[in-house]
Coordinates of all heavy atoms in Angstrom, one line a residue:
F193 N -40.5 18.0 -18.5 CA -41.3 18.0 -19.7 C -41.9 16.6 -19.9 O -41.5 15.7 -19.3 CB -40.5 18.5 -20.8 CG -40.0 19.8 -20.6 CD1 -38.6 20.0 -20.3 CD2 -40.6 21.0 -20.7 CE1 -38.0 21.3 -20.0 CE2 -40.1 22.2 -20.5 CZ -38.8 22.4 -20.1
W194 N -42.6 16.5 -21.1 CA -43.2 15.1 -21.4 C -42.1 14.3 -22.2 O -41.1 14.8 -22.7 CB -44.4 15.3 -22.3 CG -44.4 15.2 -23.8 CD1 -45.0 14.3 -24.6 CD2 -43.8 16.1 -24.7 NE1 -44.7 14.4 -25.9 CE2 -44.1 15.6 -26.0 CE3 -42.9 17.3 -24.6 CZ2 -43.6 16.2 -27.1 CZ3 -42.5 17.8 -25.7 CH2 -42.8 17.4 -27.0
W195 N -42.4 13.0 -22.4 CA -41.4 12.2 -22.9 C -40.9 12.5 -24.3 O -39.6 12.3 -24.6 CB -42.0 10.7 -23.0 CG -43.1 10.4 -23.9 CD1 -44.4 10.6 -23.6 CD2 -43.0 10.3 -25.4 NE1 -45.1 10.4 -24.7 CE2 -44.3 10.3 -25.8 CE3 -41.9 10.1 -26.2 CZ2 -44.6 10.0 -27.2 CZ3 -42.2 9.9 -27.5 CH2 -43.7 9.8 -28.1
G196 N -41.7 13.2 -25.1 CA -41.2 13.5 -26.5 C -40.1 14.6 -26.4 O -39.4 14.8 -27.4
S197 N -39.8 15.3 -25.2 CA -38.7 16.3 -25.2 C -37.4 15.6 -25.4 O -36.5 16.4 -25.8 CB -38.9 17.0 -23.9 OG -38.6 16.1 -22.8
V198 N -37.2 14.4 -25.1 CA -35.8 13.7 -25.3 C -35.6 13.5 -26.8 O -34.4 13.4 -27.1 CB -35.8 12.3 -24.6 CG1 -36.1 12.5 -23.1 CG2 -36.8 11.3 -25.2
F199 N -36.6 13.6 -27.7 CA -36.3 13.6 -29.0 C -36.4 15.0 -29.6 O -35.6 15.4 -30.6 CB -37.3 12.7 -29.9 CG -37.3 11.3 -29.5 CD1 -38.4 10.8 -28.7 CD2 -36.3 10.5 -29.7 CE1 -38.3 9.5 -28.3 CE2 -36.2 9.1 -29.4 CZ -37.4 8.6 -28.7
L200 N -37.3 15.9 -29.1 CA -37.4 17.2 -29.7 C -36.2 18.0 -29.4 O -35.9 19.0 -30.3 CB -38.7 17.9 -29.0 CG -39.2 19.1 -29.7 CD1 -39.8 18.5 -31.1 CD2 -40.5 19.6 -28.9
I201 N -35.4 17.6 -28.4 CA -34.1 18.5 -28.1 C -33.1 18.5 -29.2 O -32.4 19.2 -29.4 CB -33.5 17.9 -26.8 CG1 -32.5 18.9 -26.3 CG2 -33.0 16.5 -27.0 CD1 -33.0 20.2 -25.8
N202 N -33.4 17.4 -30.1 CA -32.4 17.2 -31.2 C -32.6 18.3 -32.3 O -31.6 18.6 -33.0 CB -32.6 15.8 -31.9 CG -32.2 14.7 -31.0 OD1 -31.4 14.9 -30.1 ND2 -32.7 13.6 -31.2
V203 N -33.9 18.7 -32.4 CA -34.2 19.7 -33.6 C -33.5 20.9 -33.7 O -32.8 21.2 -34.7 CB -35.6 19.9 -33.7 CG1 -36.1 20.8 -34.7 CG2 -36.5 18.5 -33.8
P204 N -33.3 21.6 -32.6 CA -32.6 22.9 -32.6 C -31.2 22.7 -32.8 O -30.5 23.5 -33.5 CB -32.9 23.7 -31.3 CG -33.4 22.6 -30.4 CD -34.1 21.6 -31.2
V205 N -30.6 21.6 -32.2 CA -29.3 21.3 -32.5 C -28.9 21.0 -34.0 O -27.9 21.4 -34.5 CB -28.7 20.2 -31.6 CG1 -27.3 19.9 -31.8 CG2 -29.0 20.4 -30.1
V206 N -29.8 20.3 -34.5 CA -29.7 19.9 -36.0 C -29.8 21.1 -36.9 O -28.9 21.3 -37.9 CB -30.7 18.9 -36.3 CG1 -30.9 18.7 -37.9 CG2 -30.5 17.5 -35.8
V207 N -30.7 22.1 -36.6 CA -30.9 23.2 -37.3 C -29.5 24.1 -37.2 O -29.0 24.6 -38.3 CB -32.0 24.1 -36.8 CG1 -32.0 25.5 -37.5 CG2 -33.3 23.4 -37.1
L208 N -29.0 24.2 -36.1 CA -27.8 24.9 -35.9 C -26.6 24.2 -36.7 O -25.8 24.8 -37.4 CB -27.4 25.0 -34.4 CG -25.9 25.6 -34.1 CD1 -25.9 27.1 -34.6 CD2 -25.6 25.3 -32.6
G209 N -26.5 22.8 -36.6 CA -25.6 22.1 -37.3 C -25.7 22.2 -38.7 O -24.6 22.4 -39.5
V210 N -26.9 22.2 -39.4 CA -27.1 22.4 -40.8 C -26.6 23.8 -41.2 O -25.8 23.9 -42.2 CB -28.4 22.3 -41.1 CG1 -28.7 22.7 -42.6 CG2 -28.8 20.8 -41.1
L211 N -26.9 24.8 -40.5 CA -26.4 26.2 -40.9 C -25.0 26.2 -40.9 O -24.3 26.8 -41.7 CB -27.0 27.2 -40.0 CG -28.5 27.3 -40.0 CD1 -29.0 28.3 -38.9 CD2 -28.8 28.0 -41.4
L212 N -24.3 25.7 -39.8 CA -22.8 25.9 -39.6 C -22.1 25.0 -40.7 O -21.0 25.4 -41.3 CB -22.4 25.4 -38.2 CG -22.8 26.4 -37.2 CD1 -22.5 25.8 -35.8 CD2 -22.2 27.8 -37.4
V213 N -22.6 23.8 -41.0 CA -22.0 23.0 -42.1 C -22.0 23.7 -43.3 O -21.1 23.7 -44.1 CB -22.7 21.6 -42.1 CG1 -22.3 20.8 -43.3 CG2 -22.3 20.8 -40.9
A214 N -23.2 24.2 -43.8 CA -23.4 25.0 -45.0 C -22.4 26.2 -45.2 O -21.9 26.5 -46.1 CB -24.8 25.5 -45.1
L215 N -22.2 26.8 -44.0 CA -21.2 27.9 -44.1 C -19.8 27.7 -43.9 O -19.0 28.3 -44.6 CB -21.7 28.8 -42.8 CG -23.0 29.5 -42.9 CD1 -23.3 30.4 -41.7 CD2 -22.9 30.6 -44.0
L216 N -19.4 26.6 -43.2 CA -18.0 26.4 -42.9 C -17.3 25.2 -43.5 O -16.1 25.2 -43.8 CB -17.8 26.4 -41.3 CG -18.2 27.7 -40.5 CD1 -18.0 27.3 -39.1 CD2 -17.2 28.8 -40.9
V217 N -18.0 24.2 -43.6 CA -17.5 22.9 -44.0 C -17.2 22.8 -45.6 O -18.2 22.9 -46.3 CB -18.2 21.7 -43.5 CG1 -17.6 20.4 -44.0 CG2 -18.4 21.7 -42.0
P218 N -16.0 22.6 -46.1 CA -15.8 22.6 -47.4 C -16.2 21.1 -47.9 O -16.2 20.1 -47.2 CB -14.2 22.7 -47.7 CG -13.7 22.1 -46.3 CD -14.7 22.4 -45.2
E219 N -16.5 21.0 -49.2 CA -16.9 19.8 -49.8 C -15.6 19.0 -50.1 O -14.5 19.6 -50.5 CB -17.7 20.0 -51.1 CG -18.2 18.7 -51.9 CD -19.0 17.9 -50.9 OE1 -18.6 17.2 -49.9 OE2 -20.3 17.9 -51.1
S220 N -15.6 17.7 -49.9 CA -14.4 16.9 -50.4 C -14.9 15.5 -50.7 O -15.9 15.1 -50.2 CB -13.6 16.7 -49.1 OG -14.1 16.1 -48.1
R221 N -14.2 14.9 -51.5 CA -14.6 13.5 -52.1 C -13.3 12.9 -52.6 O -12.3 13.5 -52.8 CB -15.6 13.6 -53.1 CG -15.3 14.5 -54.3 CD -16.3 14.5 -55.5 NE -17.7 14.7 -55.0 CZ -18.1 16.0 -55.0 NH1 -17.4 17.0 -55.4 NH2 -19.3 16.2 -54.7
D222 N -13.5 11.5 -52.9 CA -12.4 10.8 -53.5 C -12.2 11.3 -55.0 O -13.2 11.2 -55.7 CB -12.7 9.3 -53.5 CG -11.6 8.5 -54.0 OD1 -10.6 9.0 -54.5 OD2 -11.6 7.2 -53.7
P223 N -11.0 11.9 -55.2 CA -10.9 12.4 -56.7 C -10.8 11.3 -57.7 O -11.0 11.5 -59.0 CB -9.5 13.1 -56.7 CG -8.7 12.5 -55.4 CD -9.8 12.1 -54.5
R224 N -10.5 10.0 -57.2 CA -10.4 8.9 -58.2 C -11.4 7.8 -57.7 O -10.9 6.7 -57.3 CB -8.9 8.5 -58.4 CG -8.0 9.5 -59.0 CD -6.7 8.9 -59.0 NE -6.1 8.4 -57.9 CZ -5.5 9.2 -57.0 NH1 -5.3 10.6 -57.2 NH2 -5.0 8.8 -55.9
P225 N -12.6 8.0 -57.8 CA -13.5 7.0 -57.1 C -13.6 5.7 -57.9 O -13.9 4.6 -57.2 CB -14.9 7.8 -57.1 CG -14.8 8.6 -58.3 CD -13.4 9.1 -58.4
G226 N -13.5 5.7 -59.2 CA -13.6 4.5 -60.0 C -15.0 4.0 -60.0 O -15.9 4.7 -59.7
R227 N -15.2 2.7 -60.3 CA -16.6 2.2 -60.4 C -17.1 1.7 -59.0 O -16.3 1.4 -58.1 CB -16.5 0.8 -61.3 CG -16.3 1.2 -62.7 CD -16.4 -0.1 -63.6 NE -15.3 -1.0 -63.2 CZ -15.2 -2.3 -63.4 NH1 -16.3 -2.9 -63.8 NH2 -14.1 -3.0 -63.1
V228 N -18.5 1.7 -58.8 CA -19.0 1.5 -57.6 C -19.1 -0.1 -57.5 O -19.4 -0.8 -58.3 CB -20.5 1.9 -57.5 CG1 -21.2 1.6 -56.2 CG2 -20.5 3.4 -57.6
D229 N -18.6 -0.5 -56.3 CA -18.7 -2.0 -56.1 C -20.0 -2.3 -55.6 O -20.2 -2.6 -54.3 CB -17.5 -2.3 -55.1 CG -17.5 -3.8 -54.7 OD1 -18.0 -4.6 -55.4 OD2 -16.9 -4.1 -53.6
V230 N -20.9 -2.5 -56.6 CA -22.3 -2.8 -56.1 C -22.5 -4.0 -55.3 O -23.2 -4.1 -54.2 CB -23.2 -2.8 -57.5 CG1 -24.7 -3.0 -57.0 CG2 -23.1 -1.5 -58.2
L231 N -22.0 -5.1 -55.8 CA -22.1 -6.4 -55.0 C -21.5 -6.3 -53.7 O -22.1 -6.7 -52.6 CB -21.4 -7.5 -55.8 CG -21.6 -9.0 -55.3 CD1 -23.0 -9.3 -55.0 CD2 -20.9 -10.0 -56.0
G232 N -20.4 -5.6 -53.6 CA -19.7 -5.4 -52.3 C -20.6 -4.7 -51.2 O -20.6 -4.9 -50.1
V233 N -21.1 -3.6 -51.7 CA -22.0 -2.8 -50.9 C -23.2 -3.5 -50.6 O -23.5 -3.5 -49.3 CB -22.4 -1.6 -51.8 CG1 -23.5 -0.8 -51.0 CG2 -21.1 -0.6 -51.9
L234 N -23.8 -4.2 -51.4 CA -25.0 -5.0 -51.0 C -24.7 -6.2 -50.0 O -25.4 -6.3 -49.0 CB -25.7 -5.7 -52.3 CG -26.4 -4.7 -53.2 CD1 -26.9 -5.4 -54.4 CD2 -27.5 -3.9 -52.5
L235 N -23.5 -6.8 -50.2 CA -23.1 -7.9 -49.3 C -22.9 -7.3 -47.8 O -23.2 -7.9 -46.9 CB -22.0 -8.6 -49.8 CG -22.2 -9.6 -51.1 CD1 -20.8 -10.0 -51.5 CD2 -23.1 -10.7 -50.7
S236 N -22.2 -6.2 -47.8 CA -22.0 -5.5 -46.5 C -23.2 -5.2 -45.8 O -23.2 -5.3 -44.5 CB -21.1 -4.3 -46.8 OG -21.7 -3.2 -47.3
V237 N -24.2 -4.6 -46.5 CA -25.4 -4.2 -45.9 C -26.2 -5.5 -45.3 O -26.6 -5.5 -44.1 CB -26.3 -3.5 -46.9 CG1 -27.7 -3.2 -46.2 CG2 -25.7 -2.1 -47.2
V238 N -26.4 -6.4 -46.2 CA -27.1 -7.7 -45.8 C -26.4 -8.4 -44.6 O -27.0 -8.8 -43.7 CB -27.3 -8.7 -47.0 CG1 -27.8 -10.0 -46.6 CG2 -28.1 -8.0 -48.1
G239 N -25.0 -8.5 -44.8 CA -24.3 -9.2 -43.8 C -24.3 -8.5 -42.4 O -24.5 -9.1 -41.3
L240 N -24.1 -7.2 -42.3 CA -24.1 -6.5 -41.1 C -25.5 -6.3 -40.5 O -25.8 -6.4 -39.3 CB -23.6 -5.1 -41.4 CG -22.1 -4.9 -41.7 CD1 -21.7 -3.5 -42.1 CD2 -21.3 -5.3 -40.4
V241 N -26.6 -6.2 -41.4 CA -28.0 -6.2 -40.7 C -28.2 -7.5 -40.2 O -28.9 -7.5 -39.2 CB -28.9 -5.7 -41.9 CG1 -30.5 -6.1 -41.4 CG2 -28.8 -4.2 -42.2
A242 N -28.1 -8.6 -40.8 CA -28.3 -9.9 -40.4 C -27.5 -10.2 -39.1 O -28.2 -10.7 -38.1 CB -28.0 -11.0 -41.4
L243 N -26.4 -9.8 -39.1 CA -25.4 -10.1 -37.9 C -26.0 -9.3 -36.7 O -26.2 -9.8 -35.6 CB -24.1 -9.7 -38.1 CG -23.0 -9.8 -36.9 CD1 -22.9 -11.3 -36.5 CD2 -21.7 -9.3 -37.3
T244 N -26.3 -7.9 -36.8 CA -26.8 -7.1 -35.8 C -28.2 -7.7 -35.3 O -28.5 -7.7 -34.1 CB -27.0 -5.6 -36.3 OG1 -25.7 -5.3 -36.9 CG2 -27.3 -4.7 -35.1
Y245 N -29.1 -8.1 -36.2 CA -30.3 -8.6 -35.9 C -30.2 -9.9 -35.0 O -30.9 -10.1 -34.0 CB -31.2 -8.9 -37.1 CG -32.5 -9.6 -36.9 CD1 -33.6 -8.8 -36.3 CD2 -32.6 -11.0 -36.9 CE1 -34.8 -9.5 -36.0 CE2 -33.8 -11.7 -36.7 CZ -34.8 -10.9 -36.2 OH -36.0 -11.5 -35.9
G246 N -29.3 -10.8 -35.4 CA -29.1 -12.0 -34.7 C -28.6 -11.8 -33.2 O -29.0 -12.4 -32.3
I247 N -27.7 -10.8 -33.2 CA -27.2 -10.4 -31.8 C -28.3 -9.8 -31.0 O -28.4 -10.3 -29.8 CB -26.0 -9.5 -32.0 CG1 -24.8 -10.0 -32.7 CG2 -25.7 -8.7 -30.6 CD1 -23.8 -9.0 -33.1
I248 N -29.0 -8.9 -31.6 CA -30.1 -8.2 -30.7 C -31.2 -9.3 -30.4 O -31.6 -9.4 -29.3 CB -30.7 -7.1 -31.6 CG1 -29.8 -6.0 -31.7 CG2 -32.0 -6.7 -31.0 CD1 -30.2 -4.9 -32.7
D249 N -31.6 -10.1 -31.3 CA -32.6 -11.1 -31.1 C -32.2 -12.1 -30.0 O -32.9 -12.5 -29.1 CB -33.0 -11.8 -32.3 CG -34.3 -12.5 -32.2 OD1 -35.3 -12.0 -31.6 OD2 -34.5 -13.7 -32.7
G250 N -30.9 -12.5 -30.1 CA -30.3 -13.4 -29.2 C -30.3 -12.9 -27.7 O -30.6 -13.6 -26.8
G251 N -29.8 -11.5 -27.7 CA -29.8 -10.9 -26.3 C -31.3 -10.8 -25.7 O -31.4 -10.8 -24.5
E252 N -32.3 -10.6 -26.5 CA -33.6 -10.4 -26.1 C -34.2 -11.7 -25.6 O -34.9 -11.9 -24.6 CB -34.5 -9.8 -27.2 CG -34.2 -8.3 -27.3 CD -35.1 -7.8 -28.5 OE1 -36.0 -8.5 -28.9 OE2 -34.9 -6.6 -28.9
H253 N -34.1 -12.7 -26.5 CA -34.9 -14.0 -26.3 C -34.0 -15.3 -26.0 O -34.5 -16.3 -26.0 CB -35.8 -14.2 -27.5 CG -36.7 -13.1 -28.0 ND1 -37.7 -12.6 -27.1 CD2 -36.7 -12.2 -29.0 CE1 -38.3 -11.4 -27.6 NE2 -37.7 -11.3 -28.7
G254 N -32.8 -15.0 -25.9 CA -31.9 -16.2 -25.8 C -31.2 -16.7 -27.0 O -31.8 -16.6 -28.1
F255 N -30.0 -17.3 -26.9 CA -29.3 -17.8 -28.0 C -29.5 -19.2 -28.3 O -28.8 -19.8 -29.1 CB -27.7 -17.5 -27.8 CG -27.4 -16.0 -28.0 CD1 -27.4 -15.2 -26.9 CD2 -27.0 -15.7 -29.2 CE1 -27.0 -14.0 -27.0 CE2 -26.5 -14.4 -29.4 CZ -26.5 -13.4 -28.2
G256 N -30.5 -19.8 -27.7 CA -30.8 -21.2 -28.0 C -31.9 -21.4 -29.0 O -32.1 -22.6 -29.4
R257 N -32.4 -20.3 -29.6 CA -33.4 -20.5 -30.7 C -32.7 -20.6 -32.1 O -31.7 -19.9 -32.4 CB -34.2 -19.3 -30.7 CG -34.9 -19.1 -29.2 CD -35.6 -17.8 -29.1 NE -36.5 -17.3 -30.1 CZ -36.3 -16.3 -30.8 NH1 -35.3 -15.6 -30.9 NH2 -37.3 -16.1 -31.8
P258 N -33.2 -21.6 -33.0 CA -32.7 -21.7 -34.3 C -32.7 -20.4 -35.2 O -31.8 -20.3 -36.0 CB -33.7 -22.8 -34.9 CG -34.2 -23.4 -33.7 CD -34.4 -22.5 -32.7
T259 N -33.7 -19.6 -35.0 CA -33.7 -18.4 -35.9 C -32.6 -17.4 -35.6 O -32.0 -16.7 -36.5 CB -35.1 -17.6 -35.6 OG1 -35.3 -17.4 -34.2 CG2 -36.4 -18.4 -36.2
V260 N -32.1 -17.4 -34.3 CA -31.0 -16.6 -33.9 C -29.8 -17.0 -34.7 O -29.0 -16.2 -35.4 CB -30.8 -16.5 -32.5 CG1 -29.5 -15.9 -32.0 CG2 -31.9 -15.9 -31.7
W261 N -29.5 -18.4 -34.6 CA -28.3 -18.9 -35.2 C -28.4 -18.8 -36.7 O -27.4 -18.7 -37.4 CB -28.0 -20.3 -34.7 CG -27.5 -20.3 -33.3 CD1 -28.1 -20.6 -32.1 CD2 -26.2 -19.7 -32.9 NE1 -27.3 -20.3 -30.9 CE2 -26.2 -19.8 -31.4 CE3 -25.0 -19.2 -33.5 CZ2 -25.2 -19.3 -30.7 CZ3 -24.0 -18.8 -32.8 CH2 -24.0 -18.9 -31.5
A262 N -29.6 -19.0 -37.2 CA -29.8 -18.8 -38.8 C -29.3 -17.4 -39.2 O -28.6 -17.4 -40.2 CB -31.2 -19.1 -39.1
A263 N -29.8 -16.4 -38.4 CA -29.4 -15.1 -38.8 C -27.9 -14.8 -38.6 O -27.2 -14.3 -39.5 CB -30.1 -14.1 -37.9
I264 N -27.3 -15.3 -37.6 CA -25.9 -15.0 -37.2 C -25.0 -15.9 -38.2 O -24.0 -15.3 -38.8 CB -25.5 -15.5 -35.7 CG1 -26.1 -14.5 -34.8 CG2 -24.0 -15.5 -35.6 CD1 -26.0 -14.9 -33.3

Side-chain angles (χ1 to χ4, degrees):
F193 306 101
W194 101 112
W195 64 265
S197 62
V198 301
F199 299 109
L200 201 60
I201 192 68
N202 294 335
V203 176
V205 181
V206 165
V207 171
L208 177 63
V210 168
L211 291 174
L212 292 176
V213 168
L215 290 172
L216 294 175
V217 178
E219 184 61 282
S220 62
R221 54 172 58 87
D222 187 347
R224 298 182 300 276
R227 290 182 291 159
V228 178
D229 178 19
V230 177
L231 179 59
V233 165
L234 291 176
L235 290 175
S236 71
V237 172
V238 172
L240 289 170
V241 167
L243 179 62
T244 309
Y245 175 81
I247 292 167
I248 290 171
D249 196 42
E252 288 177 9
H253 306 296
F255 284 91
R257 298 162 59 244
T259 54
V260 171
W261 287 105
I264 292 175

